[in-house]
Amino acid sequence: MARFKVSSSAASPTGRFRRSRRAPPPADRTPSKSRSRLFRGFRSVAGQVFALQVLVVVLLVVAAVLALVLEGQRDSTREARNRSVAVAQTFANSPGMVAALASPDPTAILQPRALAAQQASGVDFIVVLNTDGIRYTHPNPARIGQKFVGTFEPALHGEVVTQQLTGTIGPLVQAVVPVYDTNGKVVGLVSAGITISKVSGVVDHQLPLVFGAAAVALALATVGTALASRRLLHQTHGLGPAEMTRMYEHHDAVLHAVREGVLIIGGNGRLLLANDEARRLLDLPADAEGRPVTELGLDREAADQLASGEVINDEVLLTGERLLVVNTRPTDRDGGPDGIVATLRDSTELHAVSDKAQAARKRLKLLYDATVAIGTTFDVMRTAEELASFAVPRFADYVTVDLAPAVLRGEEPPPGEGGPMQRAAVSGVRQDAPFYPVGEEITITPATPLAWSLDTGHAMLDPDLRSSTGWLAQDPERAGQVLAYGVHSVVRVPLRARGVLLGMVRFWRADPSVRFDEDDLSIGEEVAARAALSIDNARRYTREHAMAVTLQRSLLPHGLPEQSALEVASRYLPAQADVSGDWFDVIPLPGARVALVVGDVVGHGLHAAATMGRLRTAVLNFATLDLPPDELLGHLDELVSRLDQDQTASANGDAVTGASCLYAIYDPVSRLCTVARAGHPPPALVHPDGTVEFPDVPAGPPLGLGGLPFSAAELLLPEDSTLVLYTDGLVEDRERDIDEGLALLGRALRQPGRAPEEICDAVFDALLPARPTDDIALLVARTRVLGEDQVAHWDVPSDSAAVGEVRAAVSRQLTEWGLAEMAFVTELILSELVTNAIRYATEPIQVRLLRDRTLICEVSDSSSTSPHLRYAASMDEGGRGLFLVAQFAVRWGTRHTANGKVIWAEQVLEYPE
């Protein structure tokens, strides 16, 4: 290989270019010799550049100073014009101007005002004229009554007149503006003027600074130019134009004599220089220099590599019929120009070896890309689509993937059966190919190549479909359409993984593609083997996911209980990747109250779903105790801690690792909603007018941490307001944070008058991600209120005689409600409850009747002692009161309040026929 080195010195007899060095001058150099050296310095390229740059800098500085001075003069004139017009218009529009002009002696009125305005505004004069141009005012009283000097006639027609003139006080600008009466008629004129020197003073004071700065800039530019010229002098070694021309000729001769192609390409991708060998190797046109590399007729790969500007080391490049070894290096090292220099060596004899290396590289890259692109999810259909999309068009023109129906369901197909297949994916360079569509069931015909591949598990190559007849028996009509479409060859590869036959993938090529060969068959087998493992993994995951979803849905409420306090709608959506432990519940409570619950177990899979079921059952049990929300969460936190300890102690157990929960109780009588949360997002409250807020509910720690108390918040909800409870999967995912999700939720809820079902749909439409990575539970409840005609209450004194009065009042109230048939039983129940309260409890004692879906009797007192049901013996005189209450009531119980307790009993409503 030819090697050469280009030097920046002059040529020497030995073949290298050197510049002869002169001996240093003697110490006693005369002044004439110094002047001679200075003159020769200006004859060099560096000296000429220095002189030219200094001249350009001087001209630029002078032009900048002149421009600044002229601009200052223009600004002064413009400022004088603007100020005179502003002062004249302000004085012309001042109050009393029209009246003063119409007075018998305008001068007496206007002269003091004009002098005061002149002094305040800083102008040189303010003159008021009549329509004939006679002055009413003037700084010099002797000129009052004389004719105005200047043009004022256009102002009589409503125009503003400005003039630049030289008066007795120097160059000035004056303006004349009209004065209008209430009818829009011009009744007078006002002129204001100011000398230009008053507004140009700033520029005049700045001129010395400007000239000083210009001098400094000139000095700095001269020093910089001198340094640049010195660097240029060093780089050119003081050579003159003739010497540099001679050096270029020597270099050019060497460049074109070497037997290695040389290209110099600028930073903009244009060819700057090509020697004779490069022109021959690349077959460059005569006018190649100066044109972009991409427009020289080179192969696309060669043009892209040369235009990329990247460093290339011994890169093998096929261009035309030649195989070239390319090396590129940047030219901008050590301060050189931007671009690259490329060297080319002809290695055509290595063409055959290069083809094999290229094929091997493409094959390895194809297999590597298949590993990365196929199996990105645990979805069987998605994995089949990735296989089909990946192979088109890099390996085949069309790809069809057929899977056993059991595989699509996540099940393992039965062994040894060539049952029907289902089309799972189709991909191609065109969309109108006559293949079976996705979802079509394909019956396998025996004694066909397709059946043979499925039975034996071996791949099969069919390079010429027109000459092959065996495959036509599978579907003669469809096969004819495929041939008419131009498909000419196919590779069939069974999808097998872990000894299980999952399906079949077929790679098709059509005109004008090259037909498949044995190498392609091997590549197809390797790609299919990687895809089969991904499909089998997805199948196994699909089975486990279906089991988890089934368990999750079986543990969630199958229907919402009937109650009158809230109109409720709910949604639940499991994650596509893996089911989590989200749940919700609606729990009717005594006193027509309703509890709303939303929770989320940390983790995924069957364990999370099972833990969710245990926590939901625990919440239902705690709710029967009628505990306040904060106390219920405390008990639930203790339960989660015990579950976590039990799972950790188990050899094969997985820790719960925590959960979040929000528990709310709504009372339709008082419209009070008590809310507490443990590590859960806050609820959203939609007011009847459509405004949305996220109430400030104290954020307790997640369940399972233990040791920290929970706090509850009380919200007074208007009727027809909507409470929205949700899990974090709705407002938070990998694409957005929780603040952005809450903002989107607020916008989705900001519309009044919608039913809970409509709100659920709107929220899912606005916030539901394309592929949820976490479970989503949503509970929307619109509040109702028990009217005053459904509630009755009485205060009871601590006196046994009050029992009869209560019974009589209750009887009257039941008659008003049309429930007279229930009076006897209700009086009996209340008699027992009120008697116990008077005997064993403390005041205040209150009785309340609620007419809801049931008739609810409540007796409240300030004692915290709960009654116990006793079974009296036959000879006992007492102990049967609560027993009778339990016999006549459908349900009864006790709930504790902040001030005592409430004993309640419910009866089924009985209306007369």
Side-chain angles (χ1 to χ4, degrees):
M1 179 183 64
R3 296 286 185 181
F4 65 91
K5 180 176 181 182
V6 180
S7 173
S8 60
S9 304
S12 66
T14 61
R16 288 189 174 270
F17 297 106
R18 296 183 179 272
R19 186 167 85 75
S20 59
R21 297 184 178 271
R22 296 185 176 93
D28 56 348
R29 175 181 296 177
T30 61
S32 61
K33 291 184 178 179
S34 299
R35 288 192 297 270
S36 175
R37 180 181 179 186
L38 178 63
F39 179 73
R40 287 196 304 270
F42 278 103
R43 291 181 56 187
S44 67
V45 174
Q48 295 173 7
V49 171
F50 172 75
L52 179 61
Q53 288 182 340
V54 169
L55 177 61
V56 170
V57 170
V58 171
L59 293 178
L60 289 176
V61 171
V62 172
V65 173
L66 291 178
L68 180 62
V69 173
L70 294 176
E71 183 65 23
Q73 292 178 352
R74 286 197 297 270
D75 290 344
S76 299
T77 303
R78 182 167 57 252
E79 176 62 22
R81 183 180 295 107
N82 294 339
R83 189 182 300 182
S84 61
V85 170
V87 172
Q89 288 181 337
T90 302
F91 193 79
N93 294 321
S94 63
M97 174 61 71
V98 177
L101 291 173
S103 66
D105 189 2
T107 301
I109 299 174
L110 297 176
Q111 176 69 7
R113 294 170 56 185
L115 293 177
Q118 169 188 337
Q119 184 177 3
S121 61
V123 298
D124 288 295
F125 62 85
I126 297 178
V127 177
V128 182
L129 318 173
N130 63 11
T131 55
D132 295 328
I134 304 301
R135 300 187 180 105
Y136 284 150
T137 66
H138 197 277
N140 186 359
R143 296 187 181 181
I144 298 176
Q146 297 181 5
K147 189 74 171 182
F148 177 74
V149 178
T151 302
F152 65 89
E153 288 79 4
L156 297 175
H157 302 290
E159 299 181 10
V160 177
V161 181
T162 58
Q163 295 176 275
Q164 182 177 354
L165 49 85
T166 302
T168 58
I169 57 177
L172 57 86
V173 175
Q174 69 180 12
V176 182
V177 300
V179 179
Y180 298 98
D181 61 5
T182 57
N183 297 324
K185 179 181 178 183
V186 179
V187 296
L189 306 172
V190 175
S191 175
I194 184 172
T195 57
I196 298 176
S197 60
K198 279 191 175 184
V199 295
S200 62
V202 176
V203 176
D204 293 340
H205 290 306
Q206 290 180 348
L207 281 179
L209 179 60
V210 171
F211 283 115
V216 173
L218 179 60
L220 293 176
T222 303
V223 173
T225 302
L227 294 175
S229 298
R230 181 180 178 184
R231 180 179 178 86
L232 181 60
L233 181 65
H234 174 72
Q235 292 179 342
T236 59
H237 300 283
L239 297 177
E243 294 172 299
M244 295 187 67
T245 300
R246 184 168 60 253
M247 180 183 293
Y248 170 77
E249 292 174 350
H250 294 165
H251 288 187
D252 189 62
V254 173
L255 181 67
H256 292 285
V258 297
R259 300 305 299 170
E260 191 171 66
V262 178
L263 299 174
I264 299 179
I265 302 171
N268 56 0
R270 294 181 177 272
L271 180 63
L272 302 180
L273 184 145
N275 68 349
D276 295 342
E277 183 67 9
R279 291 178 180 274
R280 183 185 71 83
L281 295 176
L282 298 177
D283 195 19
L284 298 177
D287 58 346
E289 294 179 352
R291 293 171 56 183
V293 176
T294 55
E295 298 179 4
L296 298 179
L298 303 177
D299 293 342
R300 182 175 180 179
E301 184 178 0
D304 291 343
Q305 287 191 2
L306 293 176
S308 66
E310 299 178 354
V311 176
I312 300 175
N313 294 312
D314 293 333
E315 182 78 17
V316 178
L317 182 64
L318 181 63
T319 171
E321 296 181 354
R322 294 188 177 92
L323 191 65
L324 305 180
V325 178
V326 183
N327 288 272
T328 62
R329 294 292 183 273
T331 58
D332 56 358
R333 295 180 179 177
D334 301 327
D338 188 19
I340 63 168
V341 56
T343 60
L344 312 172
R345 297 198 311 273
D346 190 358
S347 301
T348 308
E349 64 276 5
L350 301 177
H351 186 67
V353 178
S354 175
D355 284 344
K356 293 182 179 180
Q358 188 78 1
R361 187 181 70 173
K362 288 183 178 181
R363 177 171 181 167
L364 291 175
K365 187 176 186 306
L366 181 68
L367 297 178
Y368 172 78
D369 292 344
T371 304
V372 174
I374 302 173
T376 60
T377 66
F378 287 113
D379 184 89
V380 174
M381 292 292 291
R382 178 62 180 167
T383 305
E385 293 170 359
E386 290 173 347
L387 169 59
S389 300
F390 164 78
V392 176
R394 67 181 73 190
F395 180 65
D397 296 328
Y398 301 93
V399 177
T400 59
V401 182
D402 305 321
L403 298 176
V407 174
L408 297 175
R409 297 191 300 266
E411 303 171 1
E412 185 171 313
E417 293 187 9
M421 293 287 175
Q422 184 172 331
R423 179 58 48 89
V426 177
S427 181
V429 293
R430 292 171 53 184
Q431 302 298 322
D432 57 347
F435 297 106
Y436 290 115
V438 174
E440 182 84 9
E441 186 175 283
I442 303 173
T443 302
I444 307 301
T445 302
T448 59
L450 180 60
W452 181 85
S453 292
L454 290 173
D455 292 339
T456 62
H458 296 302
M460 186 175 184
L461 168 65
D462 206 337
D464 189 359
L465 291 176
R466 291 191 177 275
S467 61
S468 177
T469 58
W471 74 288
L472 298 175
Q474 175 64 38
D475 189 342
E477 181 180 356
R478 181 78 61 174
Q481 296 174 0
V482 170
L483 289 176
Y485 192 75
V487 177
H488 52 65
S489 59
V490 64
V491 171
R492 305 180 187 90
V493 185
L495 294 171
R496 300 182 64 89
R498 302 180 179 95
V500 177
L501 178 63
L502 306 174
M504 171 73 71
V505 57
R506 282 177 280 185
F507 304 98
W508 310 81
R509 283 185 181 173
D511 291 332
S513 298
V514 179
R515 298 180 184 273
F516 284 117
D517 55 22
E518 292 295 333
D519 290 338
D520 295 324
L521 177 62
S522 176
I523 294 175
E525 288 180 313
E526 296 190 38
V527 171
R530 286 164 170 77
L533 285 175
S534 298
I535 292 175
D536 190 55
N537 291 336
R539 176 190 66 81
R540 293 168 179 263
Y541 173 80
T542 300
R543 180 181 58 188
E544 295 182 2
H545 181 70
M547 293 172 58
V549 170
T550 302
L551 176 62
Q552 176 87 340
R553 292 192 180 276
S554 67
L555 296 175
L556 288 173
H558 297 289
L560 299 179
E562 294 184 358
Q563 41 80 32
S564 303
L566 298 169
E567 180 185 356
V568 184
S570 63
R571 294 288 187 276
Y572 171 75
L573 182 67
Q576 289 193 4
D578 201 355
V579 69
S580 184
D582 293 14
W583 89 92
F584 64 90
D585 226 328
V586 178
I587 308 172
L589 297 176
R593 297 169 303 135
V594 177
L596 301 176
V597 189
V598 172
D600 183 4
V601 175
V602 175
H604 296 274
L606 290 172
H607 175 70
T611 303
M612 178 274 293
R614 301 171 74 178
L615 294 183
R616 178 173 178 252
T617 303
V619 171
L620 290 173
N621 292 332
F622 290 144
T624 59
L625 302 177
D626 215 342
L627 298 175
D630 51 343
E631 293 185 21
L632 185 143
L633 290 182
H635 288 291
L636 198 61
D637 176 62
E638 184 179 355
L639 173 63
V640 172
S641 298
R642 288 201 304 268
L643 291 177
D644 201 1
Q645 293 173 3
D646 294 342
Q647 296 286 359
T648 304
S650 174
N652 299 322
D654 296 326
V656 176
T657 69
S660 67
C661 182
L662 187 147
Y663 188 82
I665 298 178
Y666 172 69
D667 188 346
V669 179
S670 63
R671 297 185 289 112
L672 197 65
C673 182
T674 307
V675 186
R677 61 189 179 111
H680 204 82
L685 178 60
V686 185
H687 292 273
D689 60 356
T691 58
V692 180
E693 66 170 318
F694 294 90
D696 186 14
V697 178
L703 300 175
L705 296 183
L708 297 176
F710 298 94
S711 301
E714 292 186 345
L715 310 175
L716 187 62
L717 305 183
E719 186 176 4
D720 289 333
S721 59
T722 303
L723 196 64
V724 181
L725 311 182
Y726 52 90
T727 55
D728 57 359
L730 180 68
V731 295
E732 186 178 15
D733 59 18
R734 299 172 183 174
E735 302 290 331
R736 64 184 178 217
D737 57 20
I738 190 170
D739 292 333
E740 182 183 356
L742 291 177
L744 290 175
L745 177 61
R747 287 196 290 270
L749 297 174
R750 198 174 296 122
Q751 183 176 344
R754 292 183 297 181
E757 290 288 345
E758 296 175 342
I759 294 177
C760 288
D761 294 337
V763 169
F764 266 37
D765 291 341
L767 280 84
L768 191 65
R771 298 182 64 84
T773 58
D774 194 7
D775 287 9
I776 297 175
L778 176 65
L779 196 61
V780 178
R782 175 183 289 176
T783 62
R784 297 170 178 165
V785 176
L786 287 183
E788 296 181 357
D789 59 339
Q790 296 177 274
V791 182
H793 56 85
W794 300 271
D795 293 326
V796 181
S798 183
D799 186 0
S800 300
V803 177
E805 298 176 1
V806 171
R807 293 179 63 175
V810 168
S811 179
R812 289 191 299 270
Q813 184 64 55
L814 292 178
T815 302
E816 291 180 9
W817 284 347
L819 301 174
E821 298 293 332
M822 302 180 63
F824 175 77
V825 175
T826 304
E827 290 178 15
L828 178 61
I829 292 174
L830 285 176
S831 295
E832 295 297 333
L833 297 181
V834 172
T835 300
N836 284 342
I838 293 174
R839 182 175 300 175
Y840 302 110
T842 57
E843 291 184 315
I845 302 172
Q846 191 177 58
V847 173
R848 186 172 71 168
L849 282 184
L850 302 177
R851 180 170 58 87
D852 190 28
R853 293 178 178 271
T854 60
L855 180 63
I856 305 171
C857 305
E858 295 182 346
V859 177
S860 61
D861 56 61
S862 59
S863 174
S864 60
T865 303
S866 299
H868 297 281
L869 180 63
R870 291 175 53 195
Y871 296 94
S874 58
M875 300 303 292
D876 290 345
E877 295 182 0
R880 296 179 176 85
L882 290 180
F883 177 76
L884 293 176
V885 171
Q887 292 297 314
F888 287 110
V890 178
R891 294 191 308 160
W892 77 280
T894 304
R895 73 172 181 270
H896 292 275
T897 64
N899 301 320
K901 68 176 182 298
V902 175
I903 304 177
W904 55 270
E906 293 185 5
Q907 304 176 68
V908 178
L909 290 178
E910 296 179 0
Y911 291 94
E913 297 181 359

